[in-house]
Amino acid sequence: MPVTIKSAREIELMRAAGKILGKVHQDLGKELRPGMTTLEIDRTGEEMIRSYGCIPSFKNYQGFPSSVCVSVNDEVVHGIPSDRRVIQEGDIVSLDIGVIYKGYHSDAARTHGIGEISKAAADLILHTRESFFAGIRYASAGNYLYQISAAVQRTAERYGYGVVRDLVGHGIGSHLHEEPEVPNFRRFGRGIRLRSGMTLAVEPMINEGTGNVEWLDNGWTVVTRDHKLSAHYENTILITGGKPEILSVTEDEIAEGVWDPGGML
């Protein structure tokens, strides 16, 4: 599938999808507490998604059984919710969620600390988010895709973290996964030239230790090979002639000054 440039109508639908997804992330994140099962998190998330008239992007996608990917501690992505997996005080939990609104997808991830977490865990969450914002400084028309990738890697490695190379971000629109792939690490060359109207899911997956990962026997869940912590921060963004638009930003993030929609990068 070639890289798609979205029409004004498609962009409005993706804005709506992203706004809903931001609300789901904000509200679901506030529900997390010690003693909760990952299956409870999934069911609550699905209820929220459907309450907005949306369809979960992930449920039954290529066989994935759940609406929310719930990944705990050393799980990088694609954690399958279970009534046997209970989150504990001090855990970090990554929620990767997608919604479909009137045929268009939005995809975003956040990592949350459960109760009191270690400074190392808090720093990993903070710097993973920082690597996302470092990357999207280059996400404007006329720049090149791999400028985003290099900035994500440069920022993460500045703190001594490992960047996952086996998984990448992606284009997004009427399909959950579209071209181009969006790596979080340098690749040879510059990649495609960015154009206004492109929509991308930029998603740093950053490990406390090595960037090496392995798949569990369920065929989905990816864990760090050294079993150190991993964090995930993702948003669906729109490329414009200037500052990119983050379609899935939460209201709390705007209020906290994490992202100023009207400001400069």
Side-chain angles (χ1 to χ4, degrees):
M1 177 186 295
V3 177
T4 59
I5 304 298
K6 307 307 189 292
S7 67
R9 173 184 172 277
E10 289 176 309
I11 289 169
E12 284 306 310
L13 291 172
M14 292 193 69
R15 282 193 180 113
K19 185 173 183 179
I20 290 166
L21 181 53
K23 289 178 179 178
V24 171
H25 261 296
Q26 182 166 297
D27 292 343
L28 186 57
K30 291 176 180 177
E31 292 290 322
L32 301 181
R33 63 187 184 278
M36 196 175 193
T37 69
T38 56
L39 185 61
E40 286 181 84
I41 297 168
D42 176 63
R43 288 176 173 169
T44 302
E46 181 171 345
E47 288 174 4
M48 290 178 177
I49 292 167
R50 295 192 186 279
S51 75
Y52 289 105
C54 292
I55 299 168
S57 295
F58 300 162
K59 192 161 192 177
N60 300 318
Y61 180 75
Q62 296 182 352
F64 189 77
S66 305
S67 297
V68 181
C69 297
V70 186
S71 305
V72 183
N73 294 334
D74 66 338
E75 295 173 346
V76 180
V77 286
H78 306 159
I80 298 176
S82 168
D83 60 1
R84 296 186 298 275
R85 186 68 185 273
V86 179
I87 60 174
Q88 307 289 343
E89 178 92 10
D91 286 344
I92 66 171
V93 178
S94 296
L95 304 179
D96 190 0
I97 310 172
V99 304
I100 310 170
Y101 176 75
K102 296 185 178 180
Y104 284 82
H105 295 260
S106 190
D107 187 4
R110 301 290 188 274
T111 301
H112 302 272
I114 306 304
E116 293 293 326
I117 62 174
S118 68
K119 183 179 186 302
D123 285 347
L124 176 65
I125 294 170
L126 176 66
H127 296 318
T128 298
R129 186 175 70 184
E130 181 183 341
S131 72
F132 167 87
F133 285 103
I136 69 163
R137 289 181 65 89
Y138 298 93
S140 59
N143 286 342
Y144 291 90
L145 180 66
Y146 294 165
Q147 290 179 273
I148 299 173
S149 306
V152 170
Q153 179 181 6
R154 185 166 57 244
T155 303
E157 289 184 346
R158 182 184 308 143
Y159 296 105
Y161 298 133
V163 178
V164 174
R165 293 173 177 265
D166 293 67
L167 301 146
V168 296
H170 50 92
I172 187 170
S174 60
H175 296 79
L176 176 59
H177 292 108
E178 299 182 353
E179 292 295 329
E181 289 190 345
V182 184
N184 297 306
F185 49 90
R186 298 178 189 87
R187 278 187 172 167
F188 179 77
R190 299 184 295 182
I192 64 169
R193 186 186 287 270
L194 301 174
R195 295 171 57 193
S196 294
M198 289 180 177
T199 45
L200 306 174
V202 180
E203 50 176 320
M205 290 159 274
I206 307 300
N207 296 347
E208 182 182 21
T210 175
N212 295 329
V213 299
E214 55 191 24
W215 272 253
L216 298 185
D217 290 342
N218 63 31
W220 280 104
T221 307
V222 181
V223 299
T224 59
R225 188 169 295 172
D226 59 10
H227 299 295
K228 292 186 177 180
L229 299 176
S230 184
H232 189 190
Y233 187 87
E234 174 187 18
N235 280 299
T236 298
I237 69 167
L238 169 68
I239 302 298
T240 74
K243 180 179 180 179
E245 184 176 342
I246 302 180
L247 303 182
S248 51
V249 67
T250 70
E251 292 177 0
D252 281 352
E253 286 173 324
I254 294 172
E256 293 165 9
V258 172
W259 177 252
D260 177 3
M264 298 296 290
L265 279 170

